[in-house]
Amino acid sequence: MHGVSERIWRDLLSSDDAGVVGTPLVWDKRAGVFRGWSISHSFRRDEILLYRPVSRLFYMSVMAKKSSAKTSKKSKKRSFGIKRWLLRWTLRVVSVVFLLALALTALWGLLNPPTTFYMLQESRRLGGVEREWVDMDQIAPIMPRAAVAAEDANFCLHWGLDVTAIRDAIDAGGSRGASTISQQVVKNVYLWHGRSWIRKVMEAGMTPLVEVLWSKRRILEVYLNVAEFDEGVFGVEAAAQHYFGVDAASLSNTQAARLAAILPDPKGRSASKPSSFVRKRTGQILDGAATIRTDGRAGCFQS
């Protein structure tokens, strides 16, 4: 540190620009001063006589400034280190969550989900639930068309999120739903029920992933097997037997449309004892199912 201050004054006293003529000074560590010959230094603009060594006071002020600069530099380094550590761990957590979601999505794209969180909750509450998995080939062709017509008419046209439906729901003040069948599958299979912004964000993040890794036919197949049709009744096979005493492959057009009509409120509506609203809704769903079959909007899950 002494050498730095000494160099500063050496440059000052030997500078050609300053017009200095003299002998270099030497730092006296014991006395804490610069020593040299008592010489006169002439400057172009001002004539200043320097007859004594540089005082300790100036040297200490220089050292204080250097110490303050070093402290500030260390503080900046420490702050940068903390930010980098937080960023590194945030990226690690995000990566782990993404890989886990990717693995689970790929898993249930190949295997049939044995149960869901909501099913487990209802089973614990009711002492058991009715449910039997059936492949799409074992379901009457009208049933998936009726479900799409009732819940998500543009199922084959979007990538998991129906932007138009979301915009319409916002314009309606949130009084109408905008969840696609793909979103409902993500909610039913991977997440939980109930209104929550956290769940909505996770749902919106996982839905495109399901759309990429699963076929539309697979998404609809899982949906029809995990959807709730009555209290403790899950899946179209259990619903067909519960309401009509038939299997899913034997459902008539009207029966399939009624099952689709109760999907938004399975505990408040009945397919076997339909209210006037359910009867009216059944007719609308039948018309919609015929429409999507004609205009090709059922082509992604039926040939």
Side-chain angles (χ1 to χ4, degrees):
M1 291 190 296
H2 295 165
V4 174
S5 298
E6 181 181 353
R7 179 171 50 80
I8 293 173
W9 285 98
R10 283 177 183 274
D11 293 342
L12 175 62
L13 297 180
S14 62
S15 172
D16 293 335
D17 294 336
V20 177
V21 179
T23 306
L25 299 177
V26 177
W27 176 252
D28 187 337
K29 294 183 180 180
R30 181 175 299 178
V33 297
F34 284 99
R35 295 192 182 282
W37 296 101
S38 296
I39 55 177
S40 174
H41 303 277
S42 61
F43 295 79
R44 292 195 186 99
R45 297 184 180 179
D46 304 291
E47 288 188 0
I48 302 176
L49 295 179
L50 182 62
Y51 292 110
R52 60 178 180 173
V54 181
S55 68
R56 171 187 283 268
L57 181 61
F58 181 80
Y59 173 74
M60 291 179 65
S61 68
V62 172
M63 293 299 102
K65 289 180 180 180
K66 290 185 64 179
S67 177
S68 176
K70 286 188 176 182
T71 302
S72 176
K73 191 174 182 180
K74 287 181 180 179
S75 178
K76 289 180 180 179
K77 284 185 177 180
R78 188 180 301 110
S79 176
F80 178 74
I82 293 174
K83 290 179 180 179
R84 188 168 60 179
W85 180 85
L86 288 174
L87 178 62
R88 182 166 57 247
W89 275 101
T90 299
L91 291 176
R92 287 178 181 176
V93 171
V94 171
S95 299
V96 169
V97 171
F98 175 76
L99 291 176
L100 181 61
L102 186 66
L104 288 175
T105 303
L107 179 65
W108 298 140
L110 300 174
L111 304 177
N112 299 328
T115 187
T116 66
F117 295 128
Y118 183 59
M119 284 186 200
L120 290 174
Q121 290 176 340
E122 289 295 278
S123 180
R124 189 179 302 111
R125 184 176 68 87
L126 301 171
V129 296
E130 299 176 43
R131 191 226 182 182
E132 183 179 344
W133 184 280
V134 287
D135 295 334
M136 186 70 90
D137 295 335
Q138 298 173 284
I139 302 174
I142 182 60
M143 187 66 233
R145 288 200 302 273
V148 169
E151 294 292 291
D152 186 6
N154 293 321
F155 176 66
C156 289
L157 304 180
H158 60 66
W159 44 272
L161 302 175
D162 192 339
V163 179
T164 302
I166 293 173
R167 189 182 298 113
D168 292 341
I170 294 174
D171 293 339
S175 59
R176 55 185 293 185
S179 293
T180 64
I181 286 177
S182 301
Q183 287 177 272
Q184 293 182 54
V185 166
V186 170
K187 178 188 70 176
N188 290 334
V189 175
Y190 298 106
L191 305 175
W192 62 93
H193 285 218
R195 294 183 177 275
S196 167
W197 282 109
I198 296 177
R199 198 215 75 200
K200 280 292 185 182
V201 170
M202 295 177 67
E203 180 183 297
M206 288 193 67
T207 298
L209 192 60
V210 168
E211 285 276 340
V212 170
L213 297 179
W214 296 10
S215 67
K216 288 285 189 178
R217 183 180 174 88
R218 176 60 176 173
I219 293 172
L220 193 54
E221 180 183 59
V222 173
Y223 173 73
L224 291 173
N225 277 281
V226 300
E228 184 181 27
F229 288 89
D230 196 1
E231 188 171 51
V233 179
F234 293 89
V236 65
E237 178 68 19
Q241 295 177 7
H242 175 76
Y243 284 113
F244 309 115
V246 300
D247 55 31
S250 302
L251 286 168
S252 67
N253 289 2
T254 300
Q255 290 171 338
R258 284 187 183 178
L259 289 178
I262 68 173
L263 281 169
D265 185 14
K267 294 178 181 177
R269 302 176 187 177
S270 173
S272 58
K273 299 177 181 179
S275 63
S276 58
F277 173 81
V278 172
R279 290 180 185 277
K280 180 181 178 180
R281 183 63 180 144
T282 297
Q284 295 172 342
I285 290 172
L286 286 172
D287 291 340
T291 299
I292 65 172
R293 183 180 187 182
T294 303
D295 64 18
R297 282 182 290 169
C300 66
F301 59 89
Q302 286 183 340
S303 57

